[in-house]
Amino acid sequence: MAADTQVRLTYVVTWREISDGLKIQMRHSRVGRWCHRLMWGLGAFLAFAIAATVLTRGITAVDPSTWSSFLVICLLLVAVRKVTALGLLGYARHLGEHRVTVDASGIRTVTAAHTQETGWQFYGRCVEGRRVFVLLTPDASRTGVMILPKRGLEDPQDADRLRELMSSHLGPPPAG
């Protein structure tokens, strides 16, 4: 690959891309996996407690607070990432169209509201999903995240060039 290789992306972020990026971030961070397991564990425990109570004492024995706790946990499992993505979408839409250049020096993002340049050393790895590339910071919670939608690539062959650039600076991307 030539040293002067550049890949350009132009896009307006969508809710689906942010949601996919957050899903990948949660899957590839210890904190995200721990929180997800904790919520599933609480949900399973409450489901078991409710089922045991219903089987032994009948449906009327389960008080409303238990049902509401179970419902809240189920909603959190389903909705947290989606609601977070919706909140971030407002910020991304405020920025407008993103024009991103990825090259050997790093990533440069230009929008109507700001310009940002980030060197490769800021990110620890890249994970590729079906719709997006997600760059994650090397900290344990992987809180720093950049989502690059594949549909923003100028040319379909740019996906391979982008993978090459990222793997040469961050290592090969695991599947998301």
Side-chain angles (χ1 to χ4, degrees), residues 30-154:
R30 279 183 262 150
V31 173
R33 288 189 304 267
W34 182 84
C35 288
H36 192 72
R37 288 180 190 136
L38 176 69
M39 293 302 292
W40 272 105
L42 284 172
F45 173 76
L46 275 173
F48 176 76
I50 290 170
T53 304
V54 167
L55 289 173
T56 58
R57 294 189 281 167
I59 193 92
T60 58
V62 181
D63 69 21
S65 66
T66 304
W67 285 114
S68 62
S69 297
F70 182 66
L71 179 63
V72 165
I73 288 174
C74 290
L75 288 173
L76 285 174
L77 278 169
V78 172
V80 165
R81 179 174 42 94
K82 295 177 189 285
V83 171
T84 303
L86 191 59
L88 290 172
L89 180 62
Y91 171 70
R93 290 279 165 90
H94 164 73
L95 296 175
E97 182 180 78
H98 290 65
R99 292 175 308 284
V100 179
T101 304
V102 182
D103 59 24
S105 66
I107 301 156
R108 178 178 168 85
T109 305
V110 177
T111 69
H114 85 296
T115 300
Q116 175 183 332
E117 292 187 42
T118 308
W120 287 110
Q121 65 277 9
F122 182 75
Y123 295 106
R125 69 190 291 194
C126 173
V127 181
E128 182 175 355
R130 193 173 72 193
R131 294 180 190 90
V132 295
F133 290 98
V134 180
L135 290 105
L136 302 165
T137 55
D139 57 300
S141 60
R142 310 246 193 259
T143 52
V145 62
M146 175 176 276
I147 301 167
L148 299 173
K150 292 179 180 180
R151 69 173 171 77
L153 294 166
E154 292 178 347

